[in-house]
Each structure stands twice: as C-alpha cells, then as structure tokens.
Amino acid sequence: MIDFDPGAAAAPAGVNAGTGVRNGGDLVVETLEALGAKTVFGIPGQHALGLFDAMGRGNLHFVSSRVENNSAFAADGYSRATGEVGVLFLSTGPGALTSLAGLQEAYATGVPMVVVASQIPLDGLGARRKGMLHQLDDQKASAANVTKSQRLIQHASGIPSAIQDAWTEAISSPQGPVWLEVPQNVLLDPIMVPPVEDALAEAADNPPRVELVREAVKWLSTAERPAIIAGGGTRRGRGEKSLLSIAEKLRAPVICTPGGNGAFPWNHELSLQSWIEDRHMTDVLEDADVLIVIGSSLGEVTSNYFTFEPRGRIIQIDAEPRVLESNRPGLGIRADAGQALAALDAALTEPHGERADWHGTPPETLVKESLAKVKDRLESQDLGKELKFMADIREAVPADMQTFWDMTISAYWGWSCWDARGGQFHSAQGAGGLGFGFPSAIGGSVGLETTGKPGRVLAVSGDGSAMYSISELATARQHNVPVTWLIVDDGGYGILREYMVGAFGKATATELARPDFVKLAEAFGVPAVRVAPENVGDALKAGFAADGPNVVVVETLLKMFGPTHLGV
C-alpha cells in the first residue's frame, strides 16, 4: 500500500500559508487540480521552488524521484497504467535537460504528459548572458525534439489558459508530452488573478475522412487474403473492440507489434500473436492482398528490420500524418486509431469473411500452421532455458497485473512471446533508451492505487539497465510502492554482447562491474532475494504477496532467438 494522504496539511484555497499572498505557483497547482491531476512527479530545484511551495498548499500528491530522467519515466508509467495525463515538474537547466531521454520515450510512444519546467527570471532570458545559475540560451529549444510543443509563460495571468491548452494538446491524438516553462519570478510574484475554479480540456476530434473509409471498404470488399498489423496506436486509441469485430468480419489474421501487444486476444483463432520479427510471419503478411496497418509506421522492428516486401495493397491508419506512407505507399488515413476503426467497422456491413482464402487454406488454419512453424523454429535453436524462463514468469504473474519492461533480453523475448492477458504490457521500444522499467513501474503503481486499483506491478530489467535507475529504490521505499523488480543479471549489456559477437566475432566494452544487487537493495531497506533461473516463478509469487517494494535477482545468461532478417 502506497503511503500518502492527498489532503494532508492543505491550506484554504487561494491562501499562501506563509505570507497570505497568492502567486503564480498557486495558479499552476490550482489549474492542474481543476483539470483532474492527482499526482505529480519530479525533483525540486532553485528556480522551481515556487511550484513546490504552492503544491504544499494544494491537494496534489508528489512523488519525489532521485533523477529527473526517472521522474519522466515515472510520469510516463503513470499515464500508461491509468490512461490519465502524467504530470512532471522540473527545475531549470541541468534538471530540465536530464529529463529529455525519458521524454523521448513518451514522445515516441504517444504518452500524454504535461511537463512544467521552471525558468530563470524573465530579465535573464533572450540574448543576454547574465550568468544566472542554470541559464541556457533557449531551454525549450532543447525539448523541441521530444515534445509535441513548447510554451514560455511570461505573465501569471496566462498560466491557467496555457496549462489548459497544453493538457488539451497532450490528450489529442497523436497524444504526447507538452512542455511549459514558467520563469522563477512569475512563479513567485504576487498576483491579482482569482483562484482557478474550473478548467476544461477535451481531446480534439480526429475522425477519418468519409471518402477514405469508403475507399478502404471497397478494397476490403474484394480481398481474399486480408491481414492486419495492430500497432501501439490501436491501444492508445482504445480500438481493441472495433479491431476484434473487423478481424472477425473479414476473417483476417492479426499480428500485434511490441507497442500493440494486447490489442488483440492472444489465443484467438485469428491471432498471429506478436511474433513480428519471425520470417514465417513476414511471409504471411507479404502474401496479404490487402494489409491494414493501424497505429504503426511499419518501422524497423515491425518490418522485420526493413526486409518486409508486401505484394498487396496497404491501408495505413495513423493519427500522426508524418507516419503515413513513411515506409510504404498505401491508402493513408490520418485519424485517431479508435475513431478510424469504429468508422471502418460500422462501414463493413456486408458479409466479407466468406471470401477469405489463402491459396486454398482457411485463414484460421493458416494462423495455426504459422504459429506451429514459429514454435518448431524456436525449439530447433536450443532455447529451452529461455522458453521456460519466460513461461515461468508468465505463469507467476497474475492475469490482470501490468508489467513494465526495460531494454533487456527478457523484454526482447517479451515483445514476441508475452501474452498480456488482462493486464497491460509496457516497454521502452518507442525510443529504446535504458532505465525505463523500474521508474515507469513506480509511476504505474502509484497511478493504479491513486485511481483505487491494486497497485502491485512487475518491473523487469537487466543488470546494465538496472544501474540507470538503481537510485529509485529510495523512491520506492520512501513511498512504499508495491513494485516487484526482477533484475536479470548477465554481467553486462547482454544484447549488445550478442550483437557484437554475431557481427564482429567478439564483444568490446559490453562487460560491466556491478554491485551485489541483493545487498544494495537491502541497504535501501528493500527486501531482496537471489534465486536460480528455475526458481524465478516461486520468487516472483512471494514478491507479489508481500507489502511494499521488493527485488528478485536472477544471475543467468539468456540468448535471443535467431534473427530471421539475416537469413538464419
């Protein structure tokens, strides 16, 4: 159970407990609360003290991370787990810049966040170099590559509208993080603006164009071998129900990308699951005469590392216009995935499934045979330990538990083999940075308990990625966050070691000195155990039954399945 009291020590609305004078910081907190924010992640800093002082007079629950990048991951995980907007408070200069790698993951994956960064006083901005602490020539320009938009608020009266607009933009498809900056003096100076009583932010409508839906139906009405790739946009757009209906109407096999994992029932007779990197699946998708691609750019992983050469026509649905036809020509439909799937489902009124025929093979049989080929290929590669390890984790994790995976060999397996069941699968495959797993799980757990749900979640990291976020053991202990952290210790950057040996015959700079993770966790006051690979399931079950955070360490070297894009 997470330890916090959202209403503790709150002063009367609009009153600065120290001076009796309201300031810009109060406006920030009041607006966020009016928009529905409940939790904020971040780290205090000199120019941001007005934010944190005002938060002490409000009802926002603050989770203090130890590194700003991890704060960004935590806000990201909060949003993914709850479907709500993640809120991040940052200080100026080094604090703001340290968050950018975490924000890149949120931006690449389409996670709605509102980021409020402090700024030096207004009279230090512009071309002047006054030598102020943390001063940058243009701080928000540094965030331009990893956020949807950036705003500098120069007057306190503009704070409520700017935050409301940022919130609206964050939740409008394509969703993503939005960056706001408030100078120190704007946060601290007395204001005449009355307390914020209400704020409204509604996602902008993003439906498909009617003629494009009509054209898509025309293509599908004559298709004999339709197939579907469900990307992350399917989940973000909450299009799962419409996707299932469309697939069953067309009798179209469906494969999920790593980001789309969970968008389609794993054991459905039309489910190709998530084996997107397998050549057997690539063969099926290439043979489709009409391929529907939802919320995916057909990028590196989804295209089996750009070896995918479809022979049929492509219908590509995405909320981000830059994604459409970025890798393959097709009928591009710019729309929210959920709205587009609902419109397409409604338009598919005539029977279509009776035409489904893959060269004399029913699609359901094709799916079964394709999955059997994948299984046979894996079993021919001496991967018994890896297959059992992943199966043991899956058996131990409750069906409705959410899981958060770092960039590690276990996660790469998870991209393809993890059946999310009633939970959700979250990974860092959007941007591919290290350190996502544990802090995002902390944020997800906090979010679930904040919204009245069981907060126990699983984080999975390697020993290399674990060191990026090891300091967040203090955060987990301080807030008593119920995260079970599985660290798979293979003595280095395991996947890079494997890549280098495969490409060059030897690995360089991949081996790592690392701590005794059990003793280190215990030093933070977090219970930890070290177990053999064959005991990982029992250890996880014990961790799930405990209170607060705990760590399970497994020392083992896992291998990846052979990459089929290299002809293996």
Short mmCIF file of all heavy atoms in Angstrom, two decimals, residues 106-156:
data_model
loop_
_atom_site.label_atom_id
_atom_site.label_comp_id
_atom_site.label_asym_id
_atom_site.label_seq_id
_atom_site.Cartn_x
_atom_site.Cartn_y
_atom_site.Cartn_z
N ALA A 106 8.35 8.89 -24.10
CA ALA A 106 6.93 9.26 -24.08
C ALA A 106 6.49 9.83 -25.42
O ALA A 106 5.38 9.54 -25.90
CB ALA A 106 6.69 10.27 -22.96
N TYR A 107 7.34 10.63 -26.03
CA TYR A 107 7.01 11.24 -27.32
C TYR A 107 6.91 10.18 -28.42
O TYR A 107 5.97 10.17 -29.22
CB TYR A 107 8.08 12.27 -27.67
CG TYR A 107 7.83 13.06 -28.93
CD1 TYR A 107 6.64 13.76 -29.13
CD2 TYR A 107 8.81 13.13 -29.92
CE1 TYR A 107 6.43 14.49 -30.29
CE2 TYR A 107 8.61 13.87 -31.08
CZ TYR A 107 7.41 14.55 -31.26
OH TYR A 107 7.21 15.27 -32.42
N ALA A 108 7.87 9.26 -28.43
CA ALA A 108 7.89 8.22 -29.47
C ALA A 108 6.71 7.27 -29.32
O ALA A 108 6.21 6.74 -30.32
CB ALA A 108 9.20 7.45 -29.40
N THR A 109 6.25 7.05 -28.09
CA THR A 109 5.19 6.09 -27.84
C THR A 109 3.81 6.75 -27.80
O THR A 109 2.79 6.06 -27.80
CB THR A 109 5.47 5.34 -26.52
OG1 THR A 109 6.80 4.79 -26.58
CG2 THR A 109 4.51 4.20 -26.29
N GLY A 110 3.75 8.07 -27.76
CA GLY A 110 2.47 8.76 -27.75
C GLY A 110 1.81 8.77 -26.39
O GLY A 110 0.62 8.50 -26.26
N VAL A 111 2.59 9.07 -25.34
CA VAL A 111 2.07 9.09 -23.97
C VAL A 111 1.73 10.53 -23.59
O VAL A 111 2.59 11.40 -23.64
CB VAL A 111 3.11 8.52 -22.99
CG1 VAL A 111 2.59 8.58 -21.56
CG2 VAL A 111 3.45 7.08 -23.36
N PRO A 112 0.48 10.81 -23.18
CA PRO A 112 0.10 12.19 -22.85
C PRO A 112 0.69 12.63 -21.51
O PRO A 112 0.48 12.01 -20.48
CB PRO A 112 -1.43 12.12 -22.78
CG PRO A 112 -1.74 10.70 -22.45
CD PRO A 112 -0.67 9.87 -23.09
N MET A 113 1.45 13.72 -21.55
CA MET A 113 2.08 14.27 -20.35
C MET A 113 2.07 15.80 -20.43
O MET A 113 2.16 16.36 -21.53
CB MET A 113 3.53 13.78 -20.20
CG MET A 113 3.65 12.31 -19.86
SD MET A 113 5.37 11.69 -19.96
CE MET A 113 6.22 12.83 -18.86
N VAL A 114 1.96 16.45 -19.29
CA VAL A 114 2.16 17.89 -19.19
C VAL A 114 3.41 18.11 -18.34
O VAL A 114 3.47 17.68 -17.18
CB VAL A 114 0.95 18.59 -18.56
CG1 VAL A 114 1.27 20.04 -18.23
CG2 VAL A 114 -0.24 18.53 -19.51
N VAL A 115 4.39 18.74 -18.93
CA VAL A 115 5.69 18.98 -18.29
C VAL A 115 5.77 20.46 -17.94
O VAL A 115 5.69 21.31 -18.82
CB VAL A 115 6.86 18.59 -19.20
CG1 VAL A 115 8.18 18.77 -18.49
CG2 VAL A 115 6.69 17.17 -19.72
N VAL A 116 5.91 20.78 -16.66
CA VAL A 116 6.06 22.17 -16.21
C VAL A 116 7.48 22.35 -15.72
O VAL A 116 7.86 21.81 -14.67
CB VAL A 116 5.05 22.53 -15.11
CG1 VAL A 116 5.21 23.99 -14.71
CG2 VAL A 116 3.62 22.25 -15.56
N ALA A 117 8.27 23.07 -16.49
CA ALA A 117 9.67 23.35 -16.14
C ALA A 117 9.79 24.78 -15.68
O ALA A 117 9.17 25.69 -16.24
CB ALA A 117 10.58 23.10 -17.33
N SER A 118 10.57 25.00 -14.66
CA SER A 118 10.85 26.37 -14.25
C SER A 118 11.84 26.99 -15.23
O SER A 118 12.42 26.33 -16.09
CB SER A 118 11.39 26.41 -12.82
OG SER A 118 12.62 25.73 -12.74
N GLN A 119 12.04 28.27 -15.09
CA GLN A 119 12.95 29.01 -15.95
C GLN A 119 13.60 30.12 -15.11
O GLN A 119 13.07 30.49 -14.05
CB GLN A 119 12.18 29.58 -17.16
CG GLN A 119 12.94 30.26 -18.26
CD GLN A 119 14.15 29.53 -18.74
OE1 GLN A 119 15.16 29.50 -18.04
NE2 GLN A 119 14.09 28.98 -19.96
N ILE A 120 14.74 30.61 -15.56
CA ILE A 120 15.36 31.73 -14.86
C ILE A 120 14.44 32.95 -14.95
O ILE A 120 13.51 32.97 -15.76
CB ILE A 120 16.74 32.04 -15.46
CG1 ILE A 120 16.62 32.44 -16.93
CG2 ILE A 120 17.68 30.85 -15.30
CD1 ILE A 120 17.93 32.91 -17.55
N PRO A 121 14.65 33.97 -14.12
CA PRO A 121 13.78 35.16 -14.19
C PRO A 121 13.74 35.76 -15.59
O PRO A 121 14.70 35.64 -16.37
CB PRO A 121 14.41 36.11 -13.18
CG PRO A 121 15.10 35.21 -12.20
CD PRO A 121 15.61 34.06 -13.01
N LEU A 122 12.63 36.39 -15.88
CA LEU A 122 12.40 36.95 -17.22
C LEU A 122 13.52 37.85 -17.69
O LEU A 122 13.88 37.84 -18.87
CB LEU A 122 11.08 37.73 -17.23
CG LEU A 122 9.81 36.92 -17.52
CD1 LEU A 122 8.58 37.77 -17.25
CD2 LEU A 122 9.81 36.40 -18.95
N ASP A 123 14.10 38.65 -16.79
CA ASP A 123 15.11 39.61 -17.26
C ASP A 123 16.43 38.94 -17.63
O ASP A 123 17.34 39.60 -18.13
CB ASP A 123 15.34 40.72 -16.22
CG ASP A 123 15.90 40.19 -14.91
OD1 ASP A 123 16.14 38.97 -14.80
OD2 ASP A 123 16.11 41.01 -13.99
N GLY A 124 16.53 37.62 -17.44
CA GLY A 124 17.72 36.91 -17.89
C GLY A 124 17.53 36.18 -19.20
O GLY A 124 18.48 35.60 -19.74
N LEU A 125 16.30 36.20 -19.74
CA LEU A 125 16.02 35.48 -20.98
C LEU A 125 16.41 36.31 -22.19
O LEU A 125 16.51 37.54 -22.12
CB LEU A 125 14.54 35.11 -21.05
CG LEU A 125 14.05 34.15 -19.95
CD1 LEU A 125 12.56 33.91 -20.09
CD2 LEU A 125 14.81 32.83 -20.02
N GLY A 126 16.57 35.64 -23.31
CA GLY A 126 16.92 36.32 -24.55
C GLY A 126 18.41 36.21 -24.82
O GLY A 126 19.06 35.24 -24.42
N ALA A 127 18.94 37.21 -25.47
CA ALA A 127 20.34 37.16 -25.90
C ALA A 127 21.31 37.50 -24.78
O ALA A 127 22.52 37.30 -24.92
CB ALA A 127 20.56 38.13 -27.07
N ARG A 128 20.80 38.03 -23.65
CA ARG A 128 21.69 38.44 -22.57
C ARG A 128 22.28 37.21 -21.88
O ARG A 128 21.62 36.20 -21.71
CB ARG A 128 20.92 39.29 -21.55
CG ARG A 128 20.41 40.60 -22.12
CD ARG A 128 19.58 41.37 -21.10
NE ARG A 128 18.36 40.66 -20.71
CZ ARG A 128 17.25 40.66 -21.43
NH1 ARG A 128 17.19 41.33 -22.59
NH2 ARG A 128 16.18 40.00 -21.03
N ARG A 129 23.53 37.32 -21.46
CA ARG A 129 24.17 36.27 -20.67
C ARG A 129 24.51 36.87 -19.32
O ARG A 129 25.60 37.38 -19.10
CB ARG A 129 25.42 35.75 -21.37
CG ARG A 129 25.17 35.00 -22.66
CD ARG A 129 24.42 33.70 -22.45
NE ARG A 129 25.18 32.73 -21.67
CZ ARG A 129 24.70 31.56 -21.27
NH1 ARG A 129 23.45 31.23 -21.56
NH2 ARG A 129 25.44 30.74 -20.56
N LYS A 130 23.54 36.83 -18.40
CA LYS A 130 23.72 37.46 -17.11
C LYS A 130 24.48 36.57 -16.12
O LYS A 130 24.79 37.00 -15.01
CB LYS A 130 22.35 37.82 -16.53
CG LYS A 130 21.58 38.83 -17.39
CD LYS A 130 20.18 39.10 -16.86
CE LYS A 130 20.21 40.03 -15.66
NZ LYS A 130 20.54 41.41 -16.03
N GLY A 131 24.76 35.33 -16.54
CA GLY A 131 25.48 34.44 -15.65
C GLY A 131 24.63 33.87 -14.54
O GLY A 131 25.14 33.51 -13.48
N MET A 132 23.33 33.76 -14.77
CA MET A 132 22.44 33.17 -13.76
C MET A 132 22.65 31.67 -13.67
O MET A 132 23.00 31.02 -14.66
CB MET A 132 20.98 33.47 -14.11
CG MET A 132 20.59 34.92 -13.98
SD MET A 132 18.83 35.15 -14.35
CE MET A 132 18.63 36.88 -13.90
N LEU A 133 22.44 31.15 -12.49
CA LEU A 133 22.54 29.71 -12.29
C LEU A 133 21.58 28.99 -13.24
O LEU A 133 20.43 29.39 -13.40
CB LEU A 133 22.18 29.38 -10.84
CG LEU A 133 22.37 27.92 -10.41
CD1 LEU A 133 23.86 27.60 -10.31
CD2 LEU A 133 21.69 27.69 -9.05
N HIS A 134 22.05 27.93 -13.88
CA HIS A 134 21.27 27.06 -14.78
C HIS A 134 20.90 27.74 -16.10
O HIS A 134 20.10 27.18 -16.86
CB HIS A 134 19.96 26.60 -14.11
CG HIS A 134 20.14 25.88 -12.81
ND1 HIS A 134 21.26 25.15 -12.51
CD2 HIS A 134 19.32 25.77 -11.72
CE1 HIS A 134 21.14 24.63 -11.29
NE2 HIS A 134 19.97 25.01 -10.79
N GLN A 135 21.43 28.90 -16.41
CA GLN A 135 20.99 29.63 -17.60
C GLN A 135 21.34 28.89 -18.89
O GLN A 135 22.46 28.41 -19.06
CB GLN A 135 21.61 31.03 -17.63
CG GLN A 135 21.11 31.91 -18.77
CD GLN A 135 21.55 33.36 -18.64
OE1 GLN A 135 22.33 33.71 -17.76
NE2 GLN A 135 21.07 34.21 -19.54
N LEU A 136 20.37 28.82 -19.79
CA LEU A 136 20.55 28.27 -21.14
C LEU A 136 20.14 29.32 -22.16
O LEU A 136 19.28 30.17 -21.88
CB LEU A 136 19.68 27.02 -21.34
CG LEU A 136 20.05 25.77 -20.54
CD1 LEU A 136 18.91 24.75 -20.61
CD2 LEU A 136 21.33 25.16 -21.07
N ASP A 137 20.71 29.25 -23.35
CA ASP A 137 20.33 30.21 -24.39
C ASP A 137 18.84 30.07 -24.73
O ASP A 137 18.14 31.05 -24.93
CB ASP A 137 21.18 30.00 -25.64
CG ASP A 137 22.61 30.45 -25.44
OD1 ASP A 137 22.88 31.20 -24.48
OD2 ASP A 137 23.47 30.04 -26.24
N ASP A 138 18.37 28.83 -24.86
CA ASP A 138 16.96 28.59 -25.19
C ASP A 138 16.59 27.21 -24.65
O ASP A 138 16.73 26.21 -25.36
CB ASP A 138 16.74 28.68 -26.69
CG ASP A 138 15.26 28.63 -27.07
OD1 ASP A 138 14.43 28.34 -26.19
OD2 ASP A 138 14.95 28.88 -28.25
N GLN A 139 16.12 27.18 -23.43
CA GLN A 139 15.86 25.89 -22.78
C GLN A 139 14.79 25.09 -23.51
O GLN A 139 14.95 23.89 -23.74
CB GLN A 139 15.43 26.14 -21.33
CG GLN A 139 15.11 24.87 -20.56
CD GLN A 139 14.82 25.14 -19.11
OE1 GLN A 139 15.74 25.29 -18.31
NE2 GLN A 139 13.54 25.22 -18.75
N LYS A 140 13.71 25.75 -23.91
CA LYS A 140 12.63 24.99 -24.54
C LYS A 140 13.02 24.45 -25.90
O LYS A 140 12.45 23.47 -26.38
CB LYS A 140 11.35 25.82 -24.62
CG LYS A 140 11.38 27.09 -25.42
CD LYS A 140 10.05 27.81 -25.29
CE LYS A 140 10.05 29.16 -25.97
NZ LYS A 140 10.35 29.11 -27.41
N ALA A 141 14.03 25.06 -26.54
CA ALA A 141 14.51 24.52 -27.82
C ALA A 141 15.11 23.13 -27.61
O ALA A 141 15.05 22.28 -28.51
CB ALA A 141 15.54 25.45 -28.44
N SER A 142 15.68 22.90 -26.43
CA SER A 142 16.24 21.58 -26.15
C SER A 142 15.16 20.52 -26.07
O SER A 142 15.42 19.34 -26.30
CB SER A 142 17.02 21.63 -24.81
OG SER A 142 18.08 22.54 -24.88
N ALA A 143 13.95 20.92 -25.73
CA ALA A 143 12.84 19.98 -25.61
C ALA A 143 12.09 19.79 -26.92
O ALA A 143 11.18 18.95 -26.99
CB ALA A 143 11.86 20.45 -24.53
N ALA A 144 12.46 20.54 -27.96
CA ALA A 144 11.66 20.54 -29.19
C ALA A 144 11.65 19.19 -29.89
O ALA A 144 10.68 18.84 -30.56
CB ALA A 144 12.19 21.61 -30.15
N ASN A 145 12.71 18.39 -29.73
CA ASN A 145 12.76 17.09 -30.39
C ASN A 145 11.98 16.01 -29.67
O ASN A 145 11.76 14.93 -30.23
CB ASN A 145 14.22 16.62 -30.53
CG ASN A 145 14.86 17.12 -31.80
OD1 ASN A 145 14.19 17.29 -32.81
ND2 ASN A 145 16.16 17.35 -31.75
N VAL A 146 11.57 16.27 -28.43
CA VAL A 146 10.99 15.19 -27.63
C VAL A 146 9.63 15.57 -27.03
O VAL A 146 9.11 14.86 -26.17
CB VAL A 146 11.95 14.76 -26.50
CG1 VAL A 146 13.20 14.14 -27.10
CG2 VAL A 146 12.31 15.92 -25.59
N THR A 147 9.03 16.66 -27.48
CA THR A 147 7.70 17.05 -27.01
C THR A 147 6.89 17.58 -28.19
O THR A 147 7.44 18.06 -29.18
CB THR A 147 7.79 18.14 -25.92
OG1 THR A 147 8.55 19.25 -26.40
CG2 THR A 147 8.44 17.60 -24.66
N LYS A 148 5.56 17.53 -28.05
CA LYS A 148 4.67 17.98 -29.13
C LYS A 148 4.79 19.48 -29.36
O LYS A 148 4.72 19.94 -30.51
CB LYS A 148 3.23 17.63 -28.80
CG LYS A 148 2.88 16.16 -28.93
CD LYS A 148 1.39 15.92 -28.68
CE LYS A 148 0.52 16.49 -29.80
NZ LYS A 148 -0.91 16.14 -29.61
N SER A 149 4.91 20.25 -28.29
CA SER A 149 5.04 21.69 -28.43
C SER A 149 5.68 22.24 -27.16
O SER A 149 5.78 21.54 -26.14
CB SER A 149 3.67 22.37 -28.66
OG SER A 149 2.86 22.25 -27.50
N GLN A 150 6.11 23.51 -27.23
CA GLN A 150 6.80 24.14 -26.12
C GLN A 150 6.26 25.56 -25.96
O GLN A 150 6.10 26.27 -26.94
CB GLN A 150 8.32 24.19 -26.35
CG GLN A 150 8.95 22.86 -26.75
CD GLN A 150 8.75 22.52 -28.23
OE1 GLN A 150 8.86 23.40 -29.09
NE2 GLN A 150 8.43 21.26 -28.52
N ARG A 151 5.97 25.96 -24.73
CA ARG A 151 5.43 27.28 -24.45
C ARG A 151 6.22 27.93 -23.32
O ARG A 151 6.55 27.27 -22.33
CB ARG A 151 3.96 27.20 -24.02
CG ARG A 151 2.99 26.66 -25.07
CD ARG A 151 1.63 26.41 -24.41
NE ARG A 151 0.58 26.06 -25.35
CZ ARG A 151 0.36 24.83 -25.82
NH1 ARG A 151 1.16 23.84 -25.44
NH2 ARG A 151 -0.62 24.59 -26.66
N LEU A 152 6.49 29.22 -23.44
CA LEU A 152 7.06 30.02 -22.36
C LEU A 152 5.96 30.95 -21.85
O LEU A 152 5.40 31.76 -22.60
CB LEU A 152 8.25 30.85 -22.85
CG LEU A 152 8.81 31.88 -21.85
CD1 LEU A 152 9.40 31.18 -20.63
CD2 LEU A 152 9.85 32.78 -22.52
N ILE A 153 5.62 30.85 -20.57
CA ILE A 153 4.59 31.69 -19.97
C ILE A 153 5.27 32.89 -19.33
O ILE A 153 6.08 32.75 -18.42
CB ILE A 153 3.80 30.90 -18.91
CG1 ILE A 153 3.19 29.64 -19.54
CG2 ILE A 153 2.71 31.78 -18.29
CD1 ILE A 153 2.51 28.72 -18.54
N GLN A 154 4.94 34.09 -19.80
CA GLN A 154 5.64 35.28 -19.33
C GLN A 154 4.84 36.10 -18.32
O GLN A 154 5.39 37.02 -17.71
CB GLN A 154 6.01 36.17 -20.53
CG GLN A 154 6.89 35.45 -21.54
CD GLN A 154 7.46 36.38 -22.58
OE1 GLN A 154 7.96 37.46 -22.25
NE2 GLN A 154 7.39 35.98 -23.84
N HIS A 155 3.57 35.77 -18.14
CA HIS A 155 2.74 36.52 -17.20
C HIS A 155 1.85 35.53 -16.45
O HIS A 155 1.32 34.59 -17.04
CB HIS A 155 1.88 37.56 -17.92
CG HIS A 155 2.67 38.51 -18.75
ND1 HIS A 155 3.40 39.55 -18.22
CD2 HIS A 155 2.87 38.55 -20.10
CE1 HIS A 155 4.00 40.20 -19.19
NE2 HIS A 155 3.69 39.62 -20.35
N ALA A 156 1.67 35.76 -15.16
CA ALA A 156 0.89 34.84 -14.34
C ALA A 156 -0.54 34.68 -14.85
O ALA A 156 -1.11 33.58 -14.77
CB ALA A 156 0.87 35.33 -12.89
#
